Amino acid sequence: QVQLQESGPGLVKPSQTLSLTCTVSGGSISSGGYYWSWIRQHPGKGLEWIGYIYYSGSTYYSPSLKSRLIISIDTSKNQFSLKLTSVTAADTAVYYCARDLGAKGYFDYWGQGTLVTVSS
Amino acid sequence: DIQMTQSPSSLSASVGDRVTITCQASQDISNYLNWYQQKPGKAPKLLIYDASNLETGVPSRFSGSVSGTDFSFTISSLQPEDIATYYCQQYGNVPISFGPGTRVDIK
């Protein structure tokens, strides 16, 4: 059974960098065909796709976040990570990592989500 | 970017009722649409993929269909455990985008 778990600070100051890691267990992050994704949900709001990375390192980012976003992967640790720079209160959200089969938005496994608050 | 709309934004129905949610895309997405269920405090769960295919393990009272560019999601007989918010999501074009959600409650 594949499991994903987000980790990282729950509080980030404005203008700083938000950093999260997703650890994958029960399966290899290097398995072909899967795109490792980040999705966020602002409090009480809907879902926003952030971007994904393939095990090869190729990425696709949401255009609205692209200038501030880096998603990376460490296949040796079975982890992938998100860095979002220059955060503001608008980046306060629950951040989920998820597995996407074939880059089709077919998110079959999700982490439990982690709330990140941007505040001084 | 493709914008997704859903209607209604919320609904209240009785146990056993048939419930239908509709979703529209701002551009043609073929049948590249999935439906998710999200319960409070939980991650979303994939229910329907490619507009009408039931994900493994999902009860058969859930179904999806498409007619032209209009997508529908139906719960044939609402159960108490179906209380949740339901989202459509398109992958016809990146960036992937979700609808605003439909909150389903028991009357």
Side-chain angles (χ1 to χ4, degrees):
Chain A
Q1 175 80 347
V2 174
Q3 293 185 316
L4 291 83
Q5 178 69 58
E6 305 89 352
S7 59
L11 180 64
V12 181
K13 289 182 167 49
S15 80
Q16 294 192 344
T17 296
L18 182 161
S19 297
L20 295 173
T21 295
C22 183
T23 301
V24 179
S25 58
S28 173
I29 204 169
S30 299
S31 297
Y34 297 110
Y35 291 73
W36 303 94
S37 300
W38 289 98
I39 295 156
R40 70 181 182 179
Q41 186 168 35
H42 295 101
K45 302 297 184 183
L47 299 159
E48 179 186 13
W49 179 77
I50 295 171
Y52 62 59
I53 189 165
Y54 197 54
Y55 77 95
S56 62
S58 62
T59 56
Y60 194 95
Y61 300 155
S62 173
S64 65
L65 296 170
K66 186 175 182 178
S67 63
R68 300 191 290 129
L69 181 63
I70 297 174
I71 299 176
S72 58
I73 194 164
D74 186 336
T75 56
S76 67
K77 295 182 178 178
N78 234 32
Q79 294 176 333
F80 63 106
S81 299
L82 171 150
K83 289 189 187 299
L84 187 64
T85 63
S86 305
V87 297
T88 70
D91 296 308
T92 294
V94 174
Y95 286 77
Y96 294 99
C97 57
R99 188 180 83 167
D100 179 357
L101 174 61
K104 299 197 314 183
Y106 186 97
F107 301 110
D108 57 353
Y109 288 98
W110 295 67
Q112 66 186 22
T114 186
L115 174 63
V116 179
T117 301
V118 178
S119 175
S120 56
Chain B
D1 296 4
I2 294 179
Q3 307 303 317
M4 306 300 294
T5 58
Q6 280 183 242
S7 62
S9 57
S10 66
L11 66 88
S12 185
S14 299
V15 172
D17 280 356
R18 183 181 183 88
V19 168
T20 297
I21 299 167
T22 62
C23 178
Q24 283 192 316
S26 60
Q27 301 175 33
D28 181 21
I29 57 170
S30 186
N31 66 332
Y32 299 147
L33 185 110
N34 303 324
W35 289 95
Y36 289 84
Q37 174 193 66
Q38 187 179 32
K39 296 184 177 181
K42 300 294 187 182
K45 175 185 176 183
L46 179 65
L47 300 181
I48 302 288
Y49 65 94
D50 295 346
S52 60
N53 295 293
L54 193 66
E55 174 70 343
T56 302
V58 173
S60 59
R61 64 180 180 274
F62 297 102
S63 64
S65 65
V66 55
S67 177
T69 59
D70 294 334
F71 299 87
S72 295
F73 171 83
T74 297
I75 307 173
S76 61
S77 177
L78 186 67
Q79 300 301 305
E81 60 266 32
D82 300 335
I83 299 313
T85 299
Y86 294 85
Y87 295 93
C88 62
Q89 170 251 312
Q90 69 80 25
Y91 63 95
N93 272 305
V94 283
I96 291 167
S97 54
F98 293 85
T102 296
R103 181 174 175 175
V104 174
D105 288 323
I106 295 288
K107 192 181 294 183

